[in-house]
Amino acid sequence: EFSFIKNLQLGLEVPFISRLDASATGVGDMKLGGHYQWLQESIHHLNLSTGLEGTLPTGSEVNGLGKGVGGFEIGINLGRWWLGRFHLMGNLGYGVTTLNTAGEREQEIVLRQALVTRLFRNTIYLTEEFQYQPEFHSGPGVIGMEKHQSVQFSPGLIVAIRHGVEWKTSFPIGLAAADPNFSWRSQLSITFGELDSLARGNPDAR
């Protein structure tokens, strides 16, 4: 993540995915994007940002590590720290993919709720994320739009190694009957510039 302009942050995400059923391990779909911070909790008692993110089809669709198509997502994020220890965040987004080899396109609405709990100083954080994602498919052979619902719960952990460097790991669990999957995700996040993803907006961060 790069932040050399005040309140503007650019980021690149390279996920490493290992399915818990040992069927596949490798790099997933890379994401490139940015967000702008409109409100900061230290001033406005609330964190508010909007973002734009593009997906690159770098993960293997055959092995279940990626979707095999590119796309983009726009979103709005709201968040606030409580008692200096709990950060509650909500996200509403809309995404659309490029056409796949069959000429089909996917659109999705993304609703996320996340809670970050500081366990030890500003170093170790416990995370949980709940995501509801209805998807709509259109293209040749599809009458109208097919709807597929994805519901996912992801417990995880963040370790702030040093200022601007964080290691994140999570275990996404598919809760929908049509999408019962389990996986493990891990990534290293590096921020250059004035913003730190956990300390930003936290009035108790030092």
Side-chain angles (χ1 to χ4, degrees), residues 31 53 55 67 72-77 89-97 106-113 129-136 148 150-152:
K31 294 183 178 182
E53 185 177 74
T55 300
K67 292 186 175 182
F72 75 90
E73 179 183 324
I74 57 175
I76 180 170
N77 308 285
M89 185 185 71
N91 168 266
L92 172 63
Y94 167 79
V96 61
T97 68
E106 179 181 298
Q107 301 179 62
E108 60 188 22
I109 298 172
V110 183
L111 296 171
R112 297 189 186 96
Q113 171 273 319
E129 180 179 301
F130 181 82
Q131 176 174 297
Y132 172 65
Q133 186 172 315
E135 302 172 349
F136 305 89
H148 172 73
S150 172
V151 182
Q152 194 173 80

Side-chain angles (χ1 to χ4, degrees), residues 101-145:
T101 55
E104 299 174 342
R105 186 187 304 277
E106 179 181 298
Q107 301 179 62
E108 60 188 22
I109 298 172
V110 183
L111 296 171
R112 297 189 186 96
Q113 171 273 319
L115 177 65
V116 177
T117 302
R118 186 173 62 183
L119 296 182
F120 181 72
R121 296 183 179 178
N122 291 314
T123 304
I124 301 177
Y125 300 80
L126 185 67
T127 66
E128 68 85 9
E129 180 179 301
F130 181 82
Q131 176 174 297
Y132 172 65
Q133 186 172 315
E135 302 172 349
F136 305 89
H137 300 259
S138 61
V142 178
I143 301 176
M145 278 193 174

Side-chain angles (χ1 to χ4, degrees), residues 13-205:
E13 178 182 323
V14 183
F16 180 82
I17 301 174
S18 178
R19 301 188 68 84
L20 295 184
D21 58 7
S23 61
T25 298
V27 175
D29 290 342
M30 295 172 55
K31 294 183 178 182
L32 176 66
H35 72 262
Y36 187 83
Q37 189 90 13
W38 299 96
L39 300 178
Q40 296 185 12
E41 184 176 343
S42 57
I43 302 173
H44 304 96
H45 308 289
L46 183 72
N47 295 314
L48 171 65
S49 66
T50 54
L52 174 63
E53 185 177 74
T55 300
L56 305 177
T58 53
S60 171
E61 182 182 13
V62 175
N63 294 327
L65 301 178
K67 292 186 175 182
V69 293
F72 75 90
E73 179 183 324
I74 57 175
I76 180 170
N77 308 285
L78 289 169
R80 193 179 192 281
W81 283 92
W82 299 89
L83 304 176
R85 183 175 296 273
F86 307 98
H87 186 260
L88 183 63
M89 185 185 71
N91 168 266
L92 172 63
Y94 167 79
V96 61
T97 68
T98 57
L99 296 175
N100 61 20
T101 55
E104 299 174 342
R105 186 187 304 277
E106 179 181 298
Q107 301 179 62
E108 60 188 22
I109 298 172
V110 183
L111 296 171
R112 297 189 186 96
Q113 171 273 319
L115 177 65
V116 177
T117 302
R118 186 173 62 183
L119 296 182
F120 181 72
R121 296 183 179 178
N122 291 314
T123 304
I124 301 177
Y125 300 80
L126 185 67
T127 66
E128 68 85 9
E129 180 179 301
F130 181 82
Q131 176 174 297
Y132 172 65
Q133 186 172 315
E135 302 172 349
F136 305 89
H137 300 259
S138 61
V142 178
I143 301 176
M145 278 193 174
E146 291 184 349
K147 182 179 180 181
H148 172 73
Q149 297 186 99
S150 172
V151 182
Q152 194 173 80
F153 174 72
S154 303
L157 188 71
I158 296 177
V159 178
I161 300 173
R162 55 176 300 175
H163 180 75
V165 181
E166 297 170 357
W167 174 71
K168 307 176 182 180
T169 188
S170 63
F171 300 86
I173 303 171
L175 302 179
D179 190 25
N181 61 82
F182 302 89
S183 60
W184 167 67
R185 296 173 62 91
S186 183
Q187 70 183 79
L188 184 67
S189 174
I190 303 176
T191 301
F192 299 94
E194 63 176 80
L195 297 184
D196 177 77
S197 59
L198 281 175
R200 181 174 66 252
N202 182 1
D204 291 336

